[in-house]
């Protein structure tokens, strides 16, 4: 999970050393949700937080302000100058097209060279404008600096004039209704508003060796809906999601780790086809070269997670 922290709040910053042990990535948010009059304080707070904390294996990311905002140039030059060697990834909001990526690439290259940053800081784009969705394939292919992409359902809803005030998740009115049969009640089934965009983003990322993430889920009072949104993303190929509230950390951890029963079955497939070719039957289900590769995805993920988390390794 990519856990969002508002770095202008000292109370929140004080919790970061503990937090860093329980999440995969700590992201200092400088963009939306940070009041305009706290932008400098957030940037400075993030710098102090990163300088003061040993993050171990936990990733250190920031979400900078949009490229057309008055703050982004200072965000980039000050962050790279002060903490460039500890900053892994810059999340770039409101990416409209591939042109935004080489622009940020060069903006990063200048202070990186000046301050002797030893490895390139990567770029993670938020897919949250209609134009960005139209250009998603080109954005994914825009630069070797690209780390991945996240779906931003709130800005995207506004950009598309979708008639919802929700941040991610379903909507009870987005549904299909069964044909009328007499006077009885007609079944209706809610549909997934995000399926199309998520699928396009996952394909663009996979085709370019990038990681896809679901973004924010805004209703903290509905953990089941959050879990469901995260699971749909996981099943469709996403590596993780954002967590905006501490209660979402355990949800993300559980959802984005493969089910132990599924891992056991996948391991059985790999063992039954040691060279990955041919066809066998396991528990009545046909397996071949393609299902061997599906099994490998699950087993590889289980290995990565087990190496990171001893409790999950046991399960
Ligand atoms: C995230 O930034 C969103 O707009 O949903
Ligand atoms: Mg947004």
């Amino acid at each position: 999970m990519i856990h969002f922290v508002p770095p202008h709040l000292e109370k929140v910053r004080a919790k970061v050393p503990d937090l860093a042990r329980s999440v995969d990535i700590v992201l200092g948010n400088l963009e939306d949700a940070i009041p305009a009059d706290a932008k400098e304080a957030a940037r400075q707070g993030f710098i102090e937080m990163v300088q003061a904390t040993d993050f171990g294996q936990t990733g250190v990311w920031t979400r900078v302000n949009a490229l057309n905002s008055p703050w982004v140039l200072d965000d980039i030059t000050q962050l790279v100058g002060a903490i460039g060697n500890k900053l892994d990834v810059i999340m770039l909001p409101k990416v409209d097209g591939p042109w935004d990526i080489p622009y940020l690439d060069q903006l990063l290259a200048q202070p990186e060279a000046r301050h002797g940053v030893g490895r390139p800081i990567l770029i993670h784009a938020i897919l949250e404008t209609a134009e960005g969705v139209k250009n998603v394939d080109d954005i994914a292919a825009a630069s070797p600096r690209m780390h991945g992409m996240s779906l931003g359902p709130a800005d995207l809803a506004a950009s598309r004039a979708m008639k919802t005030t929700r941040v991610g998740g379903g909507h009870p009115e987005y549904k299909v209704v069964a044909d009328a049969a007499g006077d009885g009640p007609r079944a209706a089934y809610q549909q997934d508003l995000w399926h199309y965009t998520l699928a396009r983003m996952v394909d663009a990322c996979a085709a370019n060796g990038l990681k896809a993430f679901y973004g924010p889920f805004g209703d903290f009072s509905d953990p089941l809906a959050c879990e469901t949104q995260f699971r749909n993303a996981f099943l469709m190929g996403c590596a993780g999601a954002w967590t905006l509230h501490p209660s979402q950390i355990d949800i993300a951890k559980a959802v984005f780790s493969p089910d132990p029963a599924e891992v056991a079955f996948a391991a059985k497939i790999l063992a039954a086809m040691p060279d990955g070719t041919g066809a066998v039957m396991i528990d009545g289900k046909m397996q071949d070269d393609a299902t061997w590769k599906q099994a490998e995805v699950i087993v590889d993920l289980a290995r990565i997670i087990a190496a990171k988390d001893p409790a999950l390794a046991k399960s």
Side-chain angles (χ1 to χ4, degrees), residues 101-120:
I101 308 299
Y103 180 70
L104 177 58
D105 169 64
Q106 295 290 41
L107 281 185
L108 284 168
Q110 296 163 27
E112 279 174 349
R114 180 165 186 175
H115 297 283
V117 174
R119 63 192 159 87

Side-chain angles (χ1 to χ4, degrees), residues 86 88 100 127 132 142-143 152 208 221-222 304 311 314:
K86 283 183 93 173
D88 298 307
D100 288 331
L127 191 63
S143 164
N208 289 281
S221 71
D222 194 345
I304 293 168
K314 273 199 206 119

Side-chain angles (χ1 to χ4, degrees), residues 252-272:
K253 201 177 272 195
V255 169
F256 289 97
S257 309
D259 173 13
E262 188 94 46
V263 178
F265 188 67
K268 233 176 174 179
I269 299 174
L270 297 187

